[in-house]
């Protein structure tokens, strides 16, 4: 059995992502213990639809001429590229009133995807009379250096070397500063927002550029999910608990299914039986690819276990983990394990009912997340995949050397596992941030696997951790609905109150100076 090491969204985590991004597939036959990477089946999953009023337009798309390298002064550094950003001034109170500017620090994907899933900024803009700006991360979407040519930008480590979190943060600082000057809004306070990797960037932006942003809302930001900071099995432990909390029998069916899949695949005609059982398209099937496909569904359903229907990673019902377990526990499936698993996977991959078969060999990238594999091979070394005996996934161990082998083969580079902690900190964060940090909100939902690497306790009066037992991946930033539970309404209310305090304090301090 191949080792189940999953890197999300960005996304996420993401995506990592959220979102963390989904890494490009790499043959596990070359590196049998390297990480398998979930991917989007593009025939099914589509970006979410904007769910705010378009009467005055949701946003305008603009481009900013950005420098390639902020930290060197050789001739190559002065090359430029066009960085995309989205802007909405429907509710803005104007520069003359020093009205605030809300900025989303873009994740590892197309910026409109994040705009479509960050309704909190749109919905609170009227309250704060805020200008809204979403900035796209370099090398993603339409913000690619080297003439905007993805093939050239992603060609090798010499070009991809300009893709890093520090360069992205400097991009944001440069763009925000220039935008404020052009709007004659020098005194308008800036609050940055981000979810998943974007939440990590929002945190780091507030710490690195406090003269640009007065505060940060960092949702589901696993800033502590690095070497020697969290247990590698913590991510999958939370996925396990999510399913086990819904149904012990559901948990057991999934846990015991992996060996059954392997055993079936090894028998004559076994792969065809699996193909038929899971409605897999004719082009490709293997035990490992099927296991990765199923694991993707379990992991992302746990991440996006929202209390209302969503279409972030896939079109899903409210509480998709509960629905998957209902399918597994369905008495109509009787003792047919594969029928049970298919019913669960169908919740994630085909809730709309439109798919006729599933492609295990689909390497499409509808949200343009491909650059994350470079970041995961350089600075974003976030150990996941180790499993204990109770895990819903097969027992395994996180192995850093496998990551090194993968990255050397793919890019010819070796990761720097300690760079993020050296650059931004992490060890002793309660003691360190209390000394110099302020005005950061860390939201984490404990049903989100990435919460294990998040800040779960208040650090000071102004660095606040909001923890929701039933919360999922940056659910607080999503558009509100009538069906939202009271706890989610309370979370957003608390965030609004904290942001109000930051802005009021800023205005008080500004009045004293002026």
């Amino acid at each position: 059995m191949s080792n189940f090491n999953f890197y999300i969204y960005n996304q996420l985590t993401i995506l990592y992502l959220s979102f963390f991004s989904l890494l490009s597939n790499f043959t596990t036959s070359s590196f049998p213990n390297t990480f398998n990477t979930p991917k989007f089946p593009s025939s099914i999953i589509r970006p979410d639809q904007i769910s705010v009023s378009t009467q005055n337009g949701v946003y305008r798309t603009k481009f900013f001429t950005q420098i390639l390298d902020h930290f060197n002064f050789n001739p190559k550094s002065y090359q430029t590229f066009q960085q995309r950003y989205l802007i909405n001034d429907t509710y803005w109170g104007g520069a003359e009133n020093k009205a605030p500017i809300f900025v989303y620090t873009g994740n590892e994907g197309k910026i409109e995807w994040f705009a479509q899933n960050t309704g909190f900024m749109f919905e609170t803009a009227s309250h704060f009379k805020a200008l809204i700006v979403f900035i796209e991360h370099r090398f993603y979407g339409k913000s690619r250096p080297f003439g905007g040519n993805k093939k050239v930008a992603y060609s090798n480590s010499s070009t991809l070397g300009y893709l890093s979190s520090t360069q992205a943060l400097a991009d944001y600082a440069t763009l925000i500063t220039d935008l404020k000057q052009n709007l004659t809004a020098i005194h308008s306070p800036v609050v940055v927002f981000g979810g998943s990797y974007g939440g990590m960037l929002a945190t780091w932006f507030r710490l690195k550029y406090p003269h640009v942003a007065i505060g940060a809302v960092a949702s589901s930001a696993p800033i502590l999910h690095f070497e020697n900071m969290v247990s590698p099995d913590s991510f999958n432990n939370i996925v396990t608990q999510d399913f086990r909390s819904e149904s012990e029998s559901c948990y057991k069916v999934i846990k015991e299914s992996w060996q059954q899949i392997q055993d079936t695949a090894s028998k004559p005609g076994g792969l065809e039986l699996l193909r038929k059982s899971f409605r897999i398209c004719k082009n490709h099937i293997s035990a490992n690819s099927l296991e990765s496909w199923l694991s993707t569904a379990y992991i992302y359903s746990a991440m996006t276990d929202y209390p209302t229907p969503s279409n972030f990673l896939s079109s899903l019902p409210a509480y998709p983990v509960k629905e998957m377990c209902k399918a597994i526990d369905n008495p109509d499936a009787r003792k047919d394990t594969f029928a049970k698993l298919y019913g669960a996977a169908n919740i994630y991959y085909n809730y709309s009912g439109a798919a006729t078969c599933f492609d295990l060999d689909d390497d499409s990238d509808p949200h343009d997340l491909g650059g994350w594999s470079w970041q995961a091979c350089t600075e974003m070394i976030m150990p996941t995949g180790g499993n204990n005996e109770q895990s819903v996934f097969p027992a395994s161990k996180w192995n850093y050397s496998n990551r090194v082998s993968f990255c050397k083969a793919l890019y010819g580079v070796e990761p720097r596992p300690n760079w993020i902690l050296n650059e931004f900190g992490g060890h002793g964060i309660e003691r360190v941030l209390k000394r110099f940090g302020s005005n950061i909100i860390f939201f984490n939902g404990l049903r989100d696997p990435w919460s294990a690497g998040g800040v779960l306790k208040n650090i000071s009066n102004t660095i606040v951790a909001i923890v929701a037992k039933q919360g999922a991946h940056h659910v607080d930033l999503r558009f509100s609905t009538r069906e939202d539970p009271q706890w989610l309404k309370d979370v957003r209310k608390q965030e609004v109150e904290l942001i109000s305090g930051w802005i009021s304090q800023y205005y008080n301090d500004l009045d004293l100076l002026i």
Side-chain angles (χ1 to χ4, degrees), residues 10 14 73 480 491 506:
N10 119 301
I14 126 74
F73 297 90
S480 62
V491 165
Y506 170 82

Side-chain angles (χ1 to χ4, degrees), residues 267-280:
K267 296 176 181 178
L271 287 177
E272 282 306 308
L273 174 60
L274 291 172
R275 185 192 303 279
K276 181 179 179 181
S277 297
F278 291 96
R279 315 302 198 267
I280 305 302

